[in-house]
Amino acid sequence: QVQLVESGGGLVQAGGALRLSCAASGRTIGTAKMGWFRQAPGKEREFVAASAWGSGSTYYADSVKGRFTISRDNAKNSVYLQMNSLKPEDTAVYYCAAGSPSRVVVTTPQGYDYWGQGTQVTVSS
């Protein structure tokens, strides 16, 4: 019903910036809740950022507040994650997720119905 494809991952040095993209197809995501999660080797998938009812309501994990920004481009049916001041501990596979519209932000993987394949982000130093 909804297909998500992440892109933009790569290798960057600590302190650098990266912009992840999530292209959606099948349905428009204008009213969907969208989230970004990440999973490092040997770790559980953890919440990074989320947006409910578009970009008006957002929430960020404490570890990324002030550094990451989630945004949407409805014309492109895409969601983005701007990642600034990257740290080695940000290294992980990043996943885009989508779910039914909700008035509140959902920060658990169980709250989302569709997932992308993930994109690797590696921060050196």
Side-chain angles (χ1 to χ4, degrees):
Q1 297 249 316
V2 178
Q3 294 80 45
L4 305 173
V5 180
E6 304 97 333
S7 62
L11 174 63
V12 298
Q13 290 190 318
L18 205 60
R19 184 178 177 84
L20 304 184
S21 298
C22 174
S25 61
R27 301 178 81 258
T28 58
I29 61 171
T31 60
K33 64 173 181 285
M34 303 296 299
W36 285 96
F37 294 78
R38 66 188 182 187
Q39 187 167 22
K43 302 289 186 178
E44 296 295 316
R45 189 167 299 187
E46 67 173 341
F47 169 77
V48 175
S51 171
W53 297 101
S55 59
S57 300
T58 59
Y59 184 81
Y60 300 91
D62 289 340
S63 60
V64 306
K65 283 183 178 179
R67 300 190 297 121
F68 291 10
T69 303
I70 185 172
S71 62
R72 304 190 186 203
D73 186 335
N74 290 332
K76 295 183 178 180
N77 207 33
S78 298
V79 178
Y80 306 94
L81 183 68
Q82 179 65 47
M83 310 164 67
N84 298 327
S85 302
L86 284 164
K87 306 174 181 179
E89 49 262 47
D90 294 319
T91 295
V93 175
Y94 283 71
Y95 297 89
C96 176
S100 299
S102 62
R103 186 162 278 102
V104 298
V105 172
V106 178
T107 62
T108 60
Q110 292 73 23
Y112 297 84
D113 304 311
Y114 308 98
W115 295 82
Q117 83 289 343
T119 184
Q120 177 70 48
V121 172
T122 302
V123 185
S124 64
S125 297

